[in-house]
mmCIF file of all heavy atoms in Angstrom:
data_model
loop_
_atom_site.group_PDB
_atom_site.id
_atom_site.type_symbol
_atom_site.label_atom_id
_atom_site.label_comp_id
_atom_site.label_asym_id
_atom_site.label_seq_id
_atom_site.Cartn_x
_atom_site.Cartn_y
_atom_site.Cartn_z
ATOM 1 N N LEU A 264 -13.136 11.957 -0.414
ATOM 2 C CA LEU A 264 -14.587 11.862 -0.395
ATOM 3 C C LEU A 264 -15.023 10.729 0.527
ATOM 4 O O LEU A 264 -14.397 9.668 0.554
ATOM 5 C CB LEU A 264 -15.139 11.600 -1.804
ATOM 6 C CG LEU A 264 -14.860 12.651 -2.877
ATOM 7 C CD1 LEU A 264 -15.519 12.238 -4.195
ATOM 8 C CD2 LEU A 264 -15.355 14.027 -2.444
ATOM 9 N N VAL A 265 -16.113 10.962 1.263
ATOM 10 C CA VAL A 265 -16.696 9.943 2.131
ATOM 11 C C VAL A 265 -18.181 9.863 1.837
ATOM 12 O O VAL A 265 -18.891 10.872 1.915
ATOM 13 C CB VAL A 265 -16.465 10.248 3.625
ATOM 14 C CG1 VAL A 265 -17.097 9.168 4.498
ATOM 15 C CG2 VAL A 265 -14.974 10.375 3.922
ATOM 16 N N TRP A 266 -18.648 8.659 1.465
ATOM 17 C CA TRP A 266 -20.065 8.413 1.250
ATOM 18 C C TRP A 266 -20.633 7.748 2.500
ATOM 19 O O TRP A 266 -20.115 6.713 2.961
ATOM 20 C CB TRP A 266 -20.293 7.490 0.057
ATOM 21 C CG TRP A 266 -20.031 8.090 -1.279
ATOM 22 C CD1 TRP A 266 -20.941 8.679 -2.116
ATOM 23 C CD2 TRP A 266 -18.776 8.143 -1.986
ATOM 24 N NE1 TRP A 266 -20.338 9.099 -3.278
ATOM 25 C CE2 TRP A 266 -19.001 8.778 -3.230
ATOM 26 C CE3 TRP A 266 -17.479 7.716 -1.675
ATOM 27 C CZ2 TRP A 266 -17.994 8.994 -4.155
ATOM 28 C CZ3 TRP A 266 -16.467 7.928 -2.593
ATOM 29 C CH2 TRP A 266 -16.723 8.563 -3.817
ATOM 30 N N SER A 267 -21.684 8.312 3.067
ATOM 31 C CA SER A 267 -22.350 7.711 4.214
ATOM 32 C C SER A 267 -23.158 6.499 3.769
ATOM 33 O O SER A 267 -23.403 6.306 2.570
ATOM 34 C CB SER A 267 -23.274 8.727 4.887
ATOM 35 O OG SER A 267 -22.545 9.846 5.335
ATOM 36 N N ALA A 268 -23.590 5.703 4.740
ATOM 37 C CA ALA A 268 -24.366 4.513 4.414
ATOM 38 C C ALA A 268 -25.669 4.858 3.700
ATOM 39 O O ALA A 268 -26.192 4.041 2.934
ATOM 40 C CB ALA A 268 -24.641 3.716 5.683
ATOM 41 N N ASP A 269 -26.197 6.078 3.931
ATOM 42 C CA ASP A 269 -27.442 6.478 3.265
ATOM 43 C C ASP A 269 -27.209 7.000 1.851
ATOM 44 O O ASP A 269 -28.160 7.415 1.175
ATOM 45 C CB ASP A 269 -28.186 7.514 4.105
ATOM 46 C CG ASP A 269 -27.422 8.830 4.264
ATOM 47 O OD1 ASP A 269 -26.363 8.990 3.631
ATOM 48 O OD2 ASP A 269 -27.896 9.688 5.040
ATOM 49 N N GLY A 270 -25.954 7.003 1.398
ATOM 50 C CA GLY A 270 -25.643 7.401 0.030
ATOM 51 C C GLY A 270 -25.206 8.832 -0.135
ATOM 52 O O GLY A 270 -24.753 9.210 -1.224
ATOM 53 N N THR A 271 -25.343 9.665 0.895
ATOM 54 C CA THR A 271 -24.882 11.051 0.778
ATOM 55 C C THR A 271 -23.358 11.089 0.788
ATOM 56 O O THR A 271 -22.700 10.227 1.366
ATOM 57 C CB THR A 271 -25.438 11.915 1.921
ATOM 58 O OG1 THR A 271 -25.013 11.362 3.180
ATOM 59 C CG2 THR A 271 -26.947 11.965 1.870
ATOM 60 N N VAL A 272 -22.799 12.113 0.136
ATOM 61 C CA VAL A 272 -21.356 12.206 -0.008
ATOM 62 C C VAL A 272 -20.871 13.555 0.510
ATOM 63 O O VAL A 272 -21.553 14.567 0.367
ATOM 64 C CB VAL A 272 -20.941 11.998 -1.483
ATOM 65 C CG1 VAL A 272 -21.560 13.060 -2.393
ATOM 66 C CG2 VAL A 272 -19.418 11.981 -1.636
ATOM 67 N N ARG A 273 -19.690 13.563 1.114
ATOM 68 C CA ARG A 273 -19.096 14.822 1.551
ATOM 69 C C ARG A 273 -17.671 14.927 1.031
ATOM 70 O O ARG A 273 -16.945 13.931 0.934
ATOM 71 C CB ARG A 273 -19.108 14.956 3.073
ATOM 72 C CG ARG A 273 -18.071 14.151 3.824
ATOM 73 C CD ARG A 273 -18.133 14.446 5.326
ATOM 74 N NE ARG A 273 -16.984 13.972 6.059
ATOM 75 C CZ ARG A 273 -16.872 12.774 6.628
ATOM 76 N NH1 ARG A 273 -17.887 11.921 6.545
ATOM 77 N NH2 ARG A 273 -15.772 12.440 7.277
ATOM 78 N N ASP A 274 -17.289 16.153 0.679
ATOM 79 C CA ASP A 274 -15.923 16.471 0.277
ATOM 80 C C ASP A 274 -15.155 16.832 1.544
ATOM 81 O O ASP A 274 -15.384 17.882 2.143
ATOM 82 C CB ASP A 274 -15.941 17.640 -0.706
ATOM 83 C CG ASP A 274 -14.550 18.154 -1.050
ATOM 84 O OD1 ASP A 274 -13.559 17.454 -0.758
ATOM 85 O OD2 ASP A 274 -14.461 19.282 -1.586
ATOM 86 N N ALA A 275 -14.237 15.956 1.979
ATOM 87 C CA ALA A 275 -13.513 16.195 3.225
ATOM 88 C C ALA A 275 -12.355 17.164 3.046
ATOM 89 O O ALA A 275 -11.876 17.732 4.035
ATOM 90 C CB ALA A 275 -13.003 14.871 3.784
ATOM 91 N N GLY A 276 -11.871 17.347 1.818
ATOM 92 C CA GLY A 276 -10.791 18.302 1.607
ATOM 93 C C GLY A 276 -9.685 17.745 0.731
ATOM 94 O O GLY A 276 -9.706 16.595 0.276
ATOM 95 N N HIS A 277 -8.672 18.603 0.518
ATOM 96 C CA HIS A 277 -7.537 18.272 -0.331
ATOM 97 C C HIS A 277 -6.613 17.314 0.420
ATOM 98 O O HIS A 277 -6.106 17.648 1.497
ATOM 99 C CB HIS A 277 -6.794 19.564 -0.682
ATOM 100 C CG HIS A 277 -5.714 19.404 -1.702
ATOM 101 N ND1 HIS A 277 -4.645 20.272 -1.799
ATOM 102 C CD2 HIS A 277 -5.531 18.479 -2.672
ATOM 103 C CE1 HIS A 277 -3.863 19.891 -2.784
ATOM 104 N NE2 HIS A 277 -4.386 18.809 -3.329
ATOM 105 N N GLY A 278 -6.389 16.110 -0.127
ATOM 106 C CA GLY A 278 -5.524 15.187 0.590
ATOM 107 C C GLY A 278 -5.541 13.791 0.015
ATOM 108 O O GLY A 278 -6.112 13.523 -1.052
ATOM 109 N N ARG A 279 -4.898 12.884 0.760
ATOM 110 C CA ARG A 279 -4.859 11.462 0.435
ATOM 111 C C ARG A 279 -5.531 10.706 1.576
ATOM 112 O O ARG A 279 -5.072 10.765 2.716
ATOM 113 C CB ARG A 279 -3.414 10.971 0.274
ATOM 114 C CG ARG A 279 -2.625 11.666 -0.835
ATOM 115 C CD ARG A 279 -1.228 11.070 -0.985
ATOM 116 N NE ARG A 279 -0.382 11.317 0.172
ATOM 117 C CZ ARG A 279 0.448 12.353 0.310
ATOM 118 N NH1 ARG A 279 0.514 13.278 -0.658
ATOM 119 N NH2 ARG A 279 1.191 12.499 1.381
ATOM 120 N N GLY A 280 -6.621 10.001 1.283
ATOM 121 C CA GLY A 280 -7.316 9.231 2.301
ATOM 122 C C GLY A 280 -6.925 7.765 2.219
ATOM 123 O O GLY A 280 -6.843 7.203 1.126
ATOM 124 N N TYR A 281 -6.701 7.128 3.383
ATOM 125 C CA TYR A 281 -6.236 5.740 3.391
ATOM 126 C C TYR A 281 -7.178 4.773 4.093
ATOM 127 O O TYR A 281 -7.149 3.580 3.807
ATOM 128 C CB TYR A 281 -4.846 5.646 4.034
ATOM 129 C CG TYR A 281 -3.777 6.275 3.199
ATOM 130 C CD1 TYR A 281 -3.216 7.491 3.562
ATOM 131 C CD2 TYR A 281 -3.342 5.673 2.022
ATOM 132 C CE1 TYR A 281 -2.237 8.092 2.787
ATOM 133 C CE2 TYR A 281 -2.367 6.268 1.234
ATOM 134 C CZ TYR A 281 -1.809 7.481 1.628
ATOM 135 O OH TYR A 281 -0.858 8.068 0.842
#
Side-chain angles (χ1 to χ4, degrees):
L264 299 182
V265 180
W266 288 266
S267 300
D269 64 6
T271 59
V272 61
R273 76 176 194 269
D274 173 15
H277 188 204
R279 300 183 293 268
Y281 291 106

